[in-house]
Structure formats: C-alpha cells, structure tokens
Amino acid sequence: MKATVIATFFGVFHICTYAAKEATKKTKKAKLYVPQIDCDVKAGKIINPEFIAKCPPGCQDVKYRVYGTDIYASFSSVCNAAIHSGIIDNAGGKILVQKVAGHSGYRGSFSNGVRSLSLPRWRESFLVSEGKPRKGVTYPSTLEYSSSKSTTVKSEPKKPEQDLKATKSADTANTSEKASEQGNAGHKEHQTPPVPTPATQMATTTPTPTTTTTDPSTTPKPTTTPATTRTTTAAAAAKTRPGMHRVRDIGSSSVHPAYASVVAAASRQIQAAQGRGQNTAFRGTSTSASNRNILRSNTGIQRQEPVAAGSPAHLAMETDLWKPGLSLFDAGFSSKEKLNPKPLESISHGNPNCKVDLSFLMDGSWSIGKRRFQLQKQFLGNVAQALGIGSAGPLMGIVQYGDDHSTEFNLKTYANSKDLRNAIEKITQKGGLSNVGKALSFVNKNFFSDANGNRGGAPNVVVVMVDGWPTDRVEEASRLARESGINIFFVTIEAAAESEKQNVIEPNFVDKAVCRTNGFYSINVPSWFSLHKVVQPLVKRVCDTDQLVCSKTCLNSADIGFVIDGSSSVGTSNFRTVLQFVANISKEFEISDTDTRIGAVQYTYEQRLEFNFDKYSTKQDVLSAIKRISYWSGGTSTGAAISYASEQLFSKSKPNKRKIMILITDGRSYDDVRVPAMAAHQNGVIAYSIGVAWAAQDELEAIATDPDKEHSFFVDEFDNLYRFVNQLIQNICTEFNSQPRN
C-alpha cells in the first residue's frame, strides 16, 4: 500500500514538473511583436521614449532627410538615420530607438550611402541601435503617434456663427516634436500601447522641448587615443616622421641632447637682441637660419630656407585680398613694429570693442622645431596682449595639435592678458604630425561649450597656425565647424614651394577651410621670423565682428516677415490657429537686435503693419505681440499685401540679414500675385507660401521662391498647419547651409 502511494506521489510530481517546464518554455518562446514604421516617419512623431520598430525596404532616399551623426535631431527620418548609422541597410530591418535630450549642434556627414545634414540645435534627439530588447525593458507592440498642439496662443471663446469646425480644436497648433506633453488633450492616439517600462525605476519620459543650449555634458565626447611615447633621439624621431612631412634640420629642432647647449645659446642671443630692439635678432647664430635646408625624407626633395629676416624678400609680404591694393603691413600699422606691443593700461575687463571667444590651434608638430615653436609662443603672447583679454572683451584659449590634440587652457581659465601670456610661455611642444583636420573636429565638438566658458553672445573664432601644410584633410571638419557658426582663420607660415606642392595632401586647403574665400580669413607669412609683423593685422580682423559672417546660422541671421490673411473666409477661431502657427515658427529662432528679427503684416482688401522688425528684440516680446494681433475680416488682396510687405518690412531689413517672407492664405486672391512676388524675389526676398483650404495652387507656386516644392505648402484645413512647422524650419536651414562661401 505504501509503495503504491509513494509511486503515485512521484508520478504526480514528475507530471507537474514537466508541465511547469513546458509552460516556462512556451513563455520564453513568446516573441515580441515588432510594429512596422514607414520611411518618412520622424522620431519626434512617436511619443514612446524607447521602442523597437521594423523599417521597410527602400528608405535610403534623399527625400527622407537626416540631421546629425550618431545622435540625430528628432525630425530626422528614423529609418534613414538607421541606415546612415550602419544599423540596417536599404533592405530594412529591426532597430531600437531611444529618445534623448536636445543638443546645441548636430554635424552632418556622409555614411553608408546617406548624406546627413548639419543643424545648429534642436530640442530633442534620438539614438539608433541594433533592434534587440534591453534587459528589463518592456517594449510596445504598437506605437503611439503624436499630433498634439501647443497652446502658447490661447483661443477666444467660440461663436456658433463663426465656428464651422466645432468638433476641432481651432485654437492650437504645435511643434510636432513635443512628445513629452503626453497629457495634452490635443494628442491623437492612433494606437494605445503601454510605454516601455524599465525594470529599474529610471525616468524614460522624453525631455520637454527647449530652445536653450544643452548642457555639454550630455554630448558624447569622441574617444581619443593618447599619443605614443616619442624618444628624443634623432634616429627614433626620424622613424616616426612620414616621408611627406617637413623635417627641420638639427640646428632648429632639439632632436638630440647633444645640441641642447647650441639651441640654448641661440635662444639667449634672440632674447638679448629683443631686449635691445635690434632687427638682427634672428640673423647670425650658431645655427644660421639662412643655411637651413628643409628636408623631406625618402623623397630626395630639398628646399633652401628663405633668406634671413630684415631682407627685402622678407618684407615683401603678400597683398591683402580682403582690401584690394592694400599691403598687409600698410593696414594702419608700421612694418617696423616692435615685437612686444605696448601693454594696455587696463585689462581687467578687457577691450569692449572686441568681444569674441577665440581659440588658437597651435602647431606642435615636429616639423616646426623647438626654436620656431618658441617664436610661435611669443607670437601668441603678443596677440593676447594686443587683444586686451578680459571678461567684457575677448577671451582666449589654446589647443595644441600634433598627432593628437590637447586643450592647453579654455576660455575661462585666464581673465587677463598677463596671466595668459605667462601660461603660454609654459606650454611644451607635443610633437608628431600636423593633423589640423582632427584638431578642428575636436574644437567644433568640444571647445565652444558653456562649461569651457563660451558666452553665447560673443562670436566664436578659431585661428589655425600651420607650419607648411596639414598632414590630414581639413575640408569636411571645417565645413561642419562653419555650419556650427565658427569663424575659421588660417595663418600659414612658410607655405609649400612650387616643387613641394605635389606632396600636399589637400591642395588649396586654406580656401577649403576658412570661413570665406575673399582673403579676409587667411594670412600667409613667408618666414617664422616675420610672424611678429602680423600681430596687429590679425587682431584687427578677429575683432571686426561685422565681418565675422560665419557666426551666423540659419536660426540667428534672418529678418522674417509674416504676411497673414485676415479675410472673412478665415474666421476668428481659425485666425487664432494661424497665430499659433506663426508663434510656433518664431520661437525656434534666436531673436534679438543682432540676431533674427520678426515682423508681421495682416491683410484683407487693405493692409496693416502689426509690428516691424525693430519693434521687439526678445523672443517673449515677439510671442506676446503675435498673441495680441486682432482679427480684421474683409476681402483677399494677396498681391497688394506682398507689395506692402516689401515696402514696409523688407526695404528696412539690415544688409547682413536674409530676408524671409512667410505668407499664409486660405483662398484665391482678388488681384494679381505674380508681378509683386517677382519684384520681391528680385529684391532678395526668399518667399515661402502656405495655403489652406481654398487657396489656389498656381498662386502659391507663383508667390514661392524657386524651387516651388521647397517653398510652397498646402494643407486642407487650419488644424493641420502645425504639420509644417518642422519642415519649414528644416528647409530654411538647408537653404542657408547651401550658400556660396565667396
């Protein structure tokens, strides 16, 4: 009996155990259903802060635009961004998307067959990775899409006789990226899945969109590899120098301890001559510069060193192309200028007429040699003195480059010229190649941050010191820096001779790098011994803030005039929706007296100037002014309104501003629009037309600047205007970044 009971017990036990195991297997085998998204879906349209989705084939297309590299602005195509990052190819596939905070700059690049674009900043970003679930995170099987509409401008109470769309929210329009406002009643949930919930209780809600600059700590920093340890012997140094890079002779670079005393003696002679103010300071030393040859190992090429300083050949500097007919040293400065400029009487607050944030890229390569490296330090110290460093004037930091780059000190390290000069004197040479492109990329990503002392309102300027030519390419890194608003200057010393140009990696590298190719941003010095003569001309240029055009980005360099249809067919409620659309566009720009300015005209049969460009100089004042615009009601004379805006707004635009007209209308005009629109185009106005409901497509195309498809938009109802906020800003920035650089 007992045996029977025990056998029965064990039988039941095994059955239960087997059933439990099978149930566990079934649970483990349960697959996550992955929702599919279209190629044109942008990350900002999806509310879920983290999700896995499947991209269809064929998303590798220029019409699906991507902004950024590695970290993408949220109005990028999700699937094309995944192709750009290499997670999938054009055949499609599963991807994991994570929303992160907005960034102050997105750099464009060409990767995996996709060209991404640059953007100064955006309110929200996202990361793309392989479509595998993270441990402890539950992913939705359907995605929640946003069509929310912000409520910066509140609607007036609806009147039954005026409200033709009582079932719609006519008082709002949105910036479609506001995924964090998930409680907003304006959200339309196409699908209602649960939001991903990590096992840990970390917040995953998408950050609230903002127009402020993000904390630089949120920006991933590139991994840098420490430079390999270099020996000081001539033999070891020669092994590390490639054949295409210039190598100084032993007399000008301390490549062996045996020559240390010679170099030290030469330095003492230089310093003694400077103290006496002699022009022969750089002439006869034990290692005469006039006898120095420039060698290029393994090439057999030799170039005789330029003749000694003070000779006619050294004084015949290049003509300054920025101001035709004016010699570089005739720009109000004496060619016999002493090496040490006269100290400023007060430097605690700095020179208020030169408020710039300045980074010098200092050449620390082996090609320069110890002696010329010392001359470079003296030059930088003299520039610091001439600038008048201070909190209310210019701030200056230095990055030294060789094989790699290192920040010697940033913008906020020193607040006066004296301390800065002392710090410069203590800089030691890195050695290595002349990797300028690598250093420019580092400066663009890291140097001009709030943490490093960047002041925002001051132009960002980079001055690159180059001995000969770079050993890497600079064009792409320079383009990204310019698109970020950085003004790039090049000071090239002892440029390549005709016989050496075949060895230059990137011909015309200066024109490919500088902010503009008109000569203002480049200075060529034939000899290191003449470098002290360009101190004042360089200072004059970097302090001429009106000429620093690369500080301008698509968001801070325009006069934007809104031309708003106030005709009877619009109605009071829809008019408030139009004003919300205008406000949502305006708030994306950097608004001030010197940045983007906003103006507005309302029209019916007649026209009314609501406010001009110089009326309001802060973003809050502009948004408040938009909110106060009252609905007029009347007929529709769009042609007359364009002429009125040209006369009352754009004729008073500043010369250095891009003139942008954004016209919103809901019907066909009673007058001709073609002639006024053509006149506006000829006067430099870039026109965007937005048509609603009964607007005529042929008129919208006639009003818009060519190409029409980039400047003309149509929606079937006012409540859908918000859809074009991002597209409009994207097109404005794309057009800005395509401007010629001459």
Side-chain angles (χ1 to χ4, degrees), residues 283-316:
R283 293 184 182 178
T285 67
S286 58
T287 56
S288 174
S290 62
N291 295 324
R292 179 171 55 86
N293 288 329
I294 306 302
L295 305 178
R296 295 185 182 276
S297 56
N298 303 326
T299 65
I301 298 174
Q302 290 189 347
R303 175 160 67 90
Q304 188 68 24
E305 173 72 2
V307 293
S311 68
H314 274 173
L315 295 178

Side-chain angles (χ1 to χ4, degrees), residues 527-742:
S527 168
W528 280 95
F529 305 116
S530 300
L531 186 59
H532 65 282
K533 297 178 182 179
V534 304
V535 170
Q536 292 291 359
L538 178 62
V539 168
K540 183 178 179 181
R541 295 187 190 192
V542 299
C543 291
D544 190 354
T545 54
D546 289 338
Q547 295 280 344
L548 301 181
V549 293
C550 282
S551 297
K552 300 302 179 183
T553 69
C554 60
L555 300 178
N556 68 7
S557 60
D559 280 345
I560 301 177
F562 290 94
V563 181
I564 306 168
D565 185 348
S567 61
S568 301
S569 59
V570 175
T572 303
S573 181
N574 288 331
F575 187 76
R576 305 308 301 177
T577 302
V578 172
L579 294 185
Q580 180 63 67
F581 174 71
V582 171
N584 285 341
I585 293 172
S586 299
K587 68 185 179 183
E588 295 303 326
F589 290 86
E590 298 171 21
I591 297 173
S592 75
D593 292 337
T594 56
D595 295 316
T596 290
R597 304 185 303 169
I598 306 292
V601 167
Q602 184 183 175
Y603 74 94
T604 57
Y605 281 127
E606 300 176 283
Q607 307 83 36
R608 183 168 73 195
L609 180 64
E610 300 294 351
F611 53 89
N612 55 29
F613 291 135
D614 57 8
K615 181 70 172 177
Y616 302 108
S617 58
T618 68
K619 185 176 296 187
Q620 189 55 52
D621 287 346
V622 167
L623 296 178
S624 297
I626 293 170
K627 182 178 180 180
R628 291 194 300 269
I629 295 176
S630 59
Y631 176 48
W632 203 356
S633 186
T636 309
S637 294
T638 306
I642 295 172
S643 298
Y644 181 84
S646 296
E647 180 183 346
Q648 296 297 320
L649 281 178
F650 297 110
S651 66
K652 300 172 184 178
S653 184
K654 291 184 178 180
N656 61 341
K657 299 290 186 182
R658 296 170 70 237
K659 296 181 283 190
I660 298 176
M661 178 176 72
I662 301 176
L663 185 143
I664 308 108
T665 183
D666 80 329
R668 181 173 289 278
S669 176
Y670 294 162
D671 62 355
D672 177 62
V673 300
R674 289 167 177 78
V675 173
M678 187 179 298
H681 299 163
Q682 291 173 348
N683 288 326
V685 176
I686 302 169
Y688 291 85
S689 59
I690 295 94
V692 188
W694 301 280
Q697 187 65 39
D698 60 325
E699 289 187 348
L700 295 177
E701 293 176 358
I703 294 168
T705 297
D706 290 332
D708 298 338
K709 64 179 181 179
E710 300 292 336
H711 297 83
S712 178
F713 306 92
F714 179 83
V715 292
D716 56 356
E717 55 189 46
F718 285 92
D719 285 348
N720 290 328
L721 274 172
Y722 74 92
R723 297 178 184 274
F724 290 105
V725 171
N726 293 338
Q727 186 67 54
L728 189 60
I729 295 169
Q730 173 184 323
N731 288 6
I732 289 172
C733 286
T734 300
E735 186 171 54
F736 178 88
N737 290 336
S738 65
Q739 292 180 103
R741 293 177 46 238
N742 52 23

Side-chain angles (χ1 to χ4, degrees), residues 327-585:
S327 170
L328 180 63
F329 302 118
D330 291 338
F333 305 102
S334 169
S335 62
K336 295 183 179 180
E337 165 194 350
K338 291 186 178 180
L339 189 60
N340 295 317
K342 181 180 178 181
L344 298 176
E345 293 182 3
S346 175
I347 59 174
S348 59
H349 297 293
N351 178 7
N353 297 319
C354 183
K355 189 175 181 181
V356 295
D357 288 344
L358 178 63
S359 171
F360 269 87
L361 286 188
M362 184 181 191
D363 191 341
S365 64
W366 288 129
S367 78
I368 192 174
K370 291 292 184 182
R371 184 178 177 191
R372 286 156 186 78
F373 188 76
Q374 182 65 28
L375 294 178
Q376 183 179 207
K377 292 200 296 183
Q378 291 173 0
F379 171 76
L380 294 176
N382 295 336
V383 169
Q385 185 67 46
L387 283 168
I389 302 299
S391 58
L395 295 178
M396 176 174 160
I398 290 181
V399 173
Q400 184 184 171
Y401 69 88
D403 283 335
D404 294 300
H405 41 263
S406 61
T407 302
E408 300 294 344
F409 39 82
N410 61 34
L411 295 169
K412 66 180 183 181
T413 308
Y414 300 105
N416 62 74
S417 296
K418 181 179 178 181
D419 291 345
L420 183 57
R421 295 188 72 179
N422 291 336
I424 291 171
E425 187 57 36
K426 296 175 183 177
I427 295 175
T428 58
Q429 187 176 4
K430 285 176 61 67
L433 304 178
S434 296
N435 289 332
V436 175
K438 198 174 179 181
L440 275 170
S441 181
F442 168 78
V443 168
N444 181 32
K445 295 176 184 176
N446 301 284
F447 188 85
F448 293 107
S449 65
D450 294 345
N452 287 336
N454 186 51
R455 291 173 289 182
N460 293 156
V461 178
V462 170
V463 179
V464 184
M465 307 285 294
V466 182
D467 175 58
W469 58 86
T471 54
D472 65 348
R473 296 185 177 276
V474 303
E475 183 173 15
E476 181 67 8
S478 301
R479 180 184 67 80
L480 296 173
R482 292 193 305 268
E483 290 180 3
S484 298
I486 298 174
N487 297 273
I488 302 176
F489 287 79
F490 260 65
V491 178
T492 53
I493 305 97
E494 299 180 10
E498 285 299 323
S499 60
E500 297 174 315
K501 287 184 178 178
Q502 61 183 350
N503 300 320
V504 178
I505 293 177
E506 193 172 27
N508 302 320
F509 66 89
V510 172
D511 282 348
K512 293 177 180 179
V514 293
C515 177
R516 291 290 184 270
T517 58
N518 58 4
F520 178 80
Y521 291 89
S522 58
I523 297 177
N524 181 32
V525 186
S527 168
W528 280 95
F529 305 116
S530 300
L531 186 59
H532 65 282
K533 297 178 182 179
V534 304
V535 170
Q536 292 291 359
L538 178 62
V539 168
K540 183 178 179 181
R541 295 187 190 192
V542 299
C543 291
D544 190 354
T545 54
D546 289 338
Q547 295 280 344
L548 301 181
V549 293
C550 282
S551 297
K552 300 302 179 183
T553 69
C554 60
L555 300 178
N556 68 7
S557 60
D559 280 345
I560 301 177
F562 290 94
V563 181
I564 306 168
D565 185 348
S567 61
S568 301
S569 59
V570 175
T572 303
S573 181
N574 288 331
F575 187 76
R576 305 308 301 177
T577 302
V578 172
L579 294 185
Q580 180 63 67
F581 174 71
V582 171
N584 285 341
I585 293 172

